């Protein structure tokens, strides 16, 4: 199963969102126009808009209202990627040159700022102040998560709770509010809005944990980066934390850490129980995601949300 | 006359805003807490909050409503300074170490993002969506102005219009909306809200033009930087543009530009008519600022706004 198969019933609305994304970044300033459309054309799965539309199906689905939320969330995601690339000094993303490498760091920073602000401006087309509040809060959390990630780099003494809080802020919250705001903008009942938030949060956690697993064991060609890239950059994720703190072989592993033998650490983690532990945790989140939807009416959208959860559990890259 | 004298009647409310600024950046994340309060303690004139309060005096003045706007605008200004320091690679601002020098560029970027988002989040305490729209639009314009400034660096062929549009986005708009949003949050009439916007826009333009003049002729000690810093960085401002395009001595000046003799360019500009031309333009903006207020009722706030306009015309650093 591919994600595009799951989205198939919603493809015409997704095409419409794509055109709206184009319009959203339209500006007379030629540099910003170029950097923003470069970013947009670099692609991405547009998973946040998909969640918005799926959430909207549980209320009065109106694409003219939902589009503002969908575009806003995708732009927030895009802006955070541009700033990440500055920080990571990344030359490529999804096989395309990053804004910071094609232009420079200064341009990349202001392009990110511009897109963040654009995102919030577009959301103000909807007059519900609760939506504005949730969106600006999401950016606050996103930035806090990024700072936490920098702070926790190379820190082996961080707890599992630290890790979970970080991936919540970095990834899960934005997916949670995509589902939530879709339902909210469609005037779904508070219970439905809440359930979609819970679904999104759990799917987001599972998504990031899976991402962190695949960084160790995924196909290097498909991932487009060497195995263990996170660890090489000092980003200590669940499988590594397990090896260091919990595994029966922790003592040996700590020796490797002490001597900074990264290649060996990666080899050990790839074959360790840490991977299985992380998989089981991801599955637990996915189960909770599905449970949150149980009381909701059966419809195509619920079906798609459940399929997405299964897809995340099974994905290989 | 000093600015603090003008603000004297509003000092207790300004103290309150200062405490609210402290609260606004409060976070459990220790790095963000340190960077943000470092920024706050580095000071600043808090001119945007002052304008908000003064604007609010033309409606139903309620500090509990106005504080959200005042804090939000000061934070937007602060965030833009943090990002500017990353771009300019600045070690000091107002004599204090910048976030990028005390911590690093990554921390400075996310601190800026965090404060931008905090600013918008605080504004959502007010349920008037028009306020959210104006604020997010202001950040869009601010970023566009920053990109324009980068684009126009070292470009001697830019027009006066280019320069004016750039300083409008970079400086004048944020001051304009400070006045406007103060009145708007106090439910002043649309005419009053508009007049305050026009006042703020013109004061902001005069402020930036004066800044650009002082960069050439101000007291180096008081400014805390050598004369002609803007030009040295490639930022071509009104006095320089006049010399290049309009002055009877333009031909000689262009030779200096061609040979990149920056010290001589600065010396020529300091003694040129370009300074007078810029002064006259600033004065025209200040006259228009005062005119915008003429039909408004006489009160302490109007008095202060007129004094601020005069202060800007006379300031030496």
């Amino acid at each position: 199963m591919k994600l595009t198969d799951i989205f198939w019933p919603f493809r015409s609305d997704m095409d419409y969102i794509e055109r709206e994304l184009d319009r959203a970044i339209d500006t007379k300033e030629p540099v910003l126009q170029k950097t923003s459309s470069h970013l947009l054309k670099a692609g991405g799965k547009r998973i946040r808009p998909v969640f918005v539309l799926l959430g909207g199906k549980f209320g009065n689905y109106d694409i003219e209202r939902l589009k503002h939320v969908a575009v806003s969330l995708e732009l927030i995601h895009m802006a955070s990627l541009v700033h990440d690339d500055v920080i990571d000094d990344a030359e490529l993303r999804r096989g395309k040159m990053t804004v910071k490498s094609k232009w420079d760091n200064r341009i990349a920073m202001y392009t990110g700022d511009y897109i963040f602000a654009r995102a919030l401006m577009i959301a103000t087309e909807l007059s519900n102040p609760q939506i504005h509040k949730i969106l600006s809060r999401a950016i606050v959390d996103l930035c806090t998560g990024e700072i936490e990630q920098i702070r926790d780099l190379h820190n082996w003494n961080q707890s599992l709770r630290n890790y979970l809080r970080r991936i919540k802020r970095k990834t899960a919250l934005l997916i949670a509010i995509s589902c939530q705001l879709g339902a909210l903008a469609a005037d779904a009942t508070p219970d439905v809005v809440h359930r979609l938030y819970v679904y999104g949060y759990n799917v987001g956690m599972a998504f990031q944990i899976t991402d962190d697993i695949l960084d160790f064991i995924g196909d290097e060609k498909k991932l487009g980066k060497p195995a263990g890239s996170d660890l090489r950059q000092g980003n200590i994720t669940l499988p590594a934390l397990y090896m260091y703190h919990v595994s029966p072989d922790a003592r040996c592993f700590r020796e490797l850490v002490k001597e900074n033998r990264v290649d060996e650490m990666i080899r050990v983690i790839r074959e360790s129980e840490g991977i299985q532990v992380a998989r089981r945790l991801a599955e637990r989140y996915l189960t909770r995601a599905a449970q949150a939807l149980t009381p909701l009416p059966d419809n195509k959208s619920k079906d798609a949300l459940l399929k997405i959860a299964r897809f995340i559990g099974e994905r290989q890259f």
Side-chain angles (χ1 to χ4, degrees), chain A:
Chain A
M1 189 171 51
K2 283 192 218 156
L3 267 182
T4 42
D5 297 341
I6 302 174
F7 305 161
W8 189 246
F10 309 96
R11 69 196 175 283
S12 80
D13 280 358
M14 283 305 293
D15 288 345
Y16 182 55
I17 296 292
E18 200 61 34
R19 290 195 299 277
E20 288 294 308
L21 276 167
D22 247 332
R23 272 189 47 200
I25 52 149
D26 191 44
T27 161
K28 282 183 190 143
E29 206 301 302
V31 180
L32 277 177
Q33 180 66 44
K34 271 182 218 146
T35 53
S36 310
S37 48
H38 173 80
L39 273 169
L40 213 55
K41 282 187 199 125
K45 292 183 284 292
R46 309 288 189 242
I47 189 86
R48 289 152 198 84
V50 167
F51 280 130
V52 171
L53 299 191
L54 292 175
K57 289 281 182 188
F58 292 91
N60 302 315
Y61 186 92
D62 175 359
I63 187 77
E64 290 307 315
R65 283 179 58 78
L66 290 169
K67 70 179 184 188
H68 300 303
V69 177
V71 166
S72 182
L73 280 158
E74 186 66 14
L75 292 183
I76 290 174
H77 173 62
M78 267 172 59
S80 76
L81 295 186
V82 191
H83 280 185
D84 286 357
D85 289 338
V86 175
I87 295 306
D88 299 342
D89 215 14
E91 296 294 317
L92 292 176
R93 177 176 292 269
R94 297 172 191 144
K96 302 259 168 72
M97 281 181 86
T98 57
V99 173
K100 70 133 262 151
S101 67
K102 196 162 172 177
W103 287 270
D104 64 26
N105 275 337
R106 299 175 311 168
I107 301 277
M109 188 162 73
Y110 288 125
T111 298
D113 289 359
Y114 168 77
I115 296 176
F116 267 135
R118 262 312 211 179
L120 290 163
M121 201 177 138
I122 281 156
T124 60
E125 294 295 319
L126 294 170
S127 57
N128 183 348
Q130 211 191 332
I131 294 177
H132 312 163
K133 190 171 276 185
I134 293 170
L135 281 171
S136 52
R137 155 123 245 159
I139 303 183
V140 168
D141 283 320
L142 210 56
C143 300
T144 310
E146 297 286 0
I147 292 272
E148 285 171 338
Q149 174 152 331
I150 294 173
R151 186 194 64 196
D152 294 341
L153 283 179
H154 304 287
N155 173 16
W156 285 96
N157 282 319
Q158 61 183 291
S159 63
L160 173 64
R161 231 176 102 185
N162 244 24
Y163 166 78
L164 294 176
R165 190 175 52 208
R166 199 168 69 226
I167 67 171
K168 173 182 170 184
R169 290 197 168 125
K170 220 186 77 170
T171 307
L173 278 178
L174 209 56
I175 292 179
I177 69 165
S178 299
C179 302
Q180 176 194 27
L181 289 179
L184 196 64
D187 298 319
T189 65
D191 177 63
V192 170
V193 171
H194 175 69
R195 287 187 174 277
L196 281 162
Y197 177 91
V198 174
Y199 163 85
Y201 164 74
N202 283 292
V203 156
M205 293 298 280
F207 181 84
Q208 187 59 51
I209 293 171
T210 311
D211 226 42
D212 294 344
I213 296 169
L214 290 175
D215 187 69
F216 284 109
I217 62 159
D219 183 320
E220 297 195 355
K221 269 187 207 150
K222 283 183 184 165
L223 290 173
K225 54 184 181 182
S229 296
D230 284 338
L231 196 61
R232 284 177 211 281
Q233 288 173 11
N235 182 15
I236 300 169
T237 59
L238 182 52
L241 272 182
Y242 176 88
M243 270 314 295
Y244 190 87
H245 288 286
V246 188
S247 155
D249 303 324
R251 183 175 282 194
C252 288
F253 188 78
R254 286 179 196 187
E255 282 302 311
L256 298 179
V257 170
K258 205 182 272 172
E259 293 165 20
N260 199 25
R261 287 149 67 184
V262 183
D263 284 325
E264 282 165 83
M265 290 192 275
I266 293 168
R267 193 180 46 75
V268 169
I269 293 169
R270 282 167 68 100
E271 289 158 12
S272 79
E273 207 198 339
I275 300 292
Q276 304 317 317
V277 168
R279 274 233 184 276
R280 280 201 296 278
L281 186 59
E283 272 157 28
R284 249 165 62 200
Y285 278 112
L286 290 174
T287 307
R288 275 188 235 149
Q291 279 168 351
L293 301 182
T294 310
L296 298 191
D298 292 319
N299 58 25
K300 273 188 198 165
S301 175
K302 182 175 172 179
D303 190 46
L305 290 171
L306 292 171
K307 276 185 189 153
I308 292 174
R310 272 204 298 281
F311 173 83
I312 289 171
E314 292 162 8
R315 82 194 177 108
Q316 301 299 324
F317 63 93

